[in-house]
Amino acid sequence: MIEDPQIRFERLTSEDGLSHNRVTDIIQDSHGFVWIATVDGLNRYDGKQFEIYKHNLDNFTSLTSSFISCIAENIEGEIFIGTNKGLNKYN
C-alpha cells in the first residue's frame, strides 16, 4: 500500500477541548459541523473549536444525560441524540 503524502491526520483530544476522549459516535451534518458523541457530553466541532452540550439539572431543556451513545441527522436537517436516558432533539 502506497501512502499519499497529501493526506494528513490530526488527533483531537480533551487537551484540544473535546469533552472526553472516549468517543461513541461521530457525524458531519448538512451545515458542515462535526458532531462527536462521548461518554461525557455532545461536542459540536466547527474545525477550530468545540461547543459542548451536557446534562444540566438546573435546565430542563438540556440533554437528558451527558452519556451520548449515538447521533443522527434526518432529511430535514434535525439532529437527534441518543443517550442512556432517552432520545433528544437538538433545537
Side-chain angles (χ1 to χ4, degrees):
M1 175 183 242
I2 299 174
E3 291 187 29
D4 184 343
Q6 301 299 317
I7 296 175
R8 189 175 65 104
F9 291 93
E10 187 175 325
R11 182 176 296 203
L12 299 171
T13 69
S14 58
E15 291 179 7
D16 301 299
L18 189 65
S19 64
H20 197 280
N21 289 329
R22 185 170 171 210
V23 173
T24 56
D25 198 9
I26 185 168
I27 68 164
Q28 183 173 13
D29 72 14
S30 56
H31 300 286
F33 291 110
V34 175
W35 294 85
I36 304 166
T38 75
V39 298
D40 190 29
L42 175 66
N43 300 257
R44 187 182 75 183
Y45 185 63
D46 64 8
K48 295 182 182 180
Q49 61 187 13
F50 291 97
E51 180 79 27
I52 298 172
Y53 303 91
K54 292 187 178 189
H55 173 67
N56 179 344
L57 283 173
D58 298 326
N59 182 354
F60 73 95
T61 65
S62 73
L63 291 164
T64 54
S65 172
S66 293
F67 189 104
I68 313 301
S69 56
C70 57
I71 317 163
E73 180 181 23
N74 69 11
I75 197 163
E76 286 87 26
E78 298 171 309
I79 303 292
F80 290 87
I81 303 102
T83 75
N84 63 336
K85 294 191 177 174
L87 183 64
N88 298 251
K89 183 172 101 172
Y90 177 75
N91 188 0

